Amino acid sequence: MIPWSQLGTASIPNNGGELRLAQREKEFSISLKGVRGELMNSRVHCSEIALADLGCAHINGVDNTAVLVGGMGMGFTLAAALKATSNSCVVTVAELVPEVIEWNKGALGECAGYPINNPRTRVCLGDVADIFTPQRPTFDAILLDVDNGPEGFTHADNTSLYSLASLNAIHNTLRPKGVLAVWSAWHDPAFTTQLKKAKFKVDVKTVRAHKGKGSRHTIYLAKRN
């Protein structure tokens, strides 16, 4: 068995714990120190791609659109959003941990084809929730993959991102007919209800983690009228 090599560590702001990046040949892993363990692996990313494909389907081929990706991760969602949109679409990625941005500029970035270097990519370092504060219609699609689901147990502060007040702010940040897509490791009917309270039209999709097999993940598609 080929051992893992640790490439770097990063502290999540507000005492959120420590991230660790490791590599084994061409495989990469990002984990959270402690009992939580592995958060993402470069071999398993089909549902992250599906998040962008489903969330951007309504603007495929449409010019002058704007997409927000919440969470850089390993870059798979960002890469898929760039691929799913026109050459005039600007894709902003918001990431809370600066080291994750740097990892994607380095060896990790090869996994998704270095989407961070795409001229249509804009990087915003900080909490994605801050982008919703002005509540101006700015984006045609918002893709959130900042945690394992709406309960936000990897980073406790994420819970407020899925509160009714925050969902209302997100709703107001979308342009008419815009779509909010949220990745989750499981389906939570209560979150569907919460989205509807925020005046979204909701559809729930189940996708597989790895090429038609593996874990089943949930993607919430919430459309603004």
Side-chain angles (χ1 to χ4, degrees), residues 12-17 32 36 96 127 146-163:
I12 302 175
N14 303 318
N15 299 314
L32 184 67
R36 184 68 189 89
L96 185 65
D127 192 336
V146 298
D147 219 309
N148 268 34
E151 289 186 5
F153 54 64
T154 298
H155 187 213
D157 285 357
N158 288 340
T159 304
S160 62
L161 182 62
Y162 306 113
S163 68

Side-chain angles (χ1 to χ4, degrees), residues 99-141:
E99 288 87 349
V100 173
I101 296 295
E102 295 306 312
W103 294 345
N104 275 273
K105 292 178 180 178
L108 177 62
E110 185 176 354
C111 295
Y114 289 101
I116 198 170
N117 295 333
N118 191 295
R120 294 196 285 126
T121 297
R122 303 289 183 270
V123 177
C124 177
L125 180 60
D127 192 336
V128 68
D130 293 338
I131 296 176
F132 307 131
T133 302
Q135 298 193 39
R136 291 191 296 267
T138 305
F139 301 102
D140 299 281

Side-chain angles (χ1 to χ4, degrees), residues 8-170:
T9 62
S11 296
I12 302 175
N14 303 318
N15 299 314
E18 181 183 84
L19 292 177
R20 293 180 173 181
L21 173 65
Q23 180 180 9
R24 182 173 61 188
E25 293 189 314
K26 294 185 177 181
E27 179 183 1
F28 291 84
S29 173
I30 294 179
S31 60
L32 184 67
K33 182 181 178 182
V35 296
R36 184 68 189 89
E38 188 174 69
L39 299 177
M40 58 194 80
N41 187 290
S42 59
R43 293 187 301 106
V44 184
H45 55 263
C46 288
S47 61
E48 283 83 357
I49 293 174
L51 175 67
D53 289 344
L54 293 169
C56 296
H58 66 298
I59 53 172
N60 183 270
V62 180
D63 291 332
N64 301 316
T65 53
V67 175
L68 173 64
V69 178
M72 181 74 209
M74 293 185 170
F76 292 111
T77 298
L78 172 59
L82 290 164
K83 184 178 180 180
T85 53
S86 70
N87 289 333
S88 60
C89 177
V90 174
V91 182
T92 300
V93 58
E95 173 55 51
L96 185 65
V97 183
E99 288 87 349
V100 173
I101 296 295
E102 295 306 312
W103 294 345
N104 275 273
K105 292 178 180 178
L108 177 62
E110 185 176 354
C111 295
Y114 289 101
I116 198 170
N117 295 333
N118 191 295
R120 294 196 285 126
T121 297
R122 303 289 183 270
V123 177
C124 177
L125 180 60
D127 192 336
V128 68
D130 293 338
I131 296 176
F132 307 131
T133 302
Q135 298 193 39
R136 291 191 296 267
T138 305
F139 301 102
D140 299 281
I142 296 173
L143 317 175
L144 295 183
D145 184 8
V146 298
D147 219 309
N148 268 34
E151 289 186 5
F153 54 64
T154 298
H155 187 213
D157 285 357
N158 288 340
T159 304
S160 62
L161 182 62
Y162 306 113
S163 68
L164 183 57
S166 180
L167 291 175
N168 283 326
I170 293 172

Side-chain angles (χ1 to χ4, degrees), residues 148-223:
N148 268 34
E151 289 186 5
F153 54 64
T154 298
H155 187 213
D157 285 357
N158 288 340
T159 304
S160 62
L161 182 62
Y162 306 113
S163 68
L164 183 57
S166 180
L167 291 175
N168 283 326
I170 293 172
H171 182 280
N172 294 336
T173 307
L174 283 166
R175 293 170 177 167
K177 309 299 182 183
V179 171
L180 164 66
V182 181
W183 185 98
S184 178
W186 65 89
H187 175 47
D188 182 357
F191 185 56
T192 300
T193 301
Q194 190 87 315
L195 287 167
K196 290 179 179 179
K197 288 181 180 178
K199 299 180 181 179
F200 284 108
K201 181 180 179 181
V202 185
D203 191 13
V204 180
K205 301 289 187 181
T206 299
V207 297
R208 301 301 287 266
H210 182 65
K211 295 180 180 179
K213 60 183 180 180
S215 301
R216 287 177 169 83
H217 295 154
T218 297
I219 294 176
Y220 299 90
L221 297 172
K223 184 176 181 178

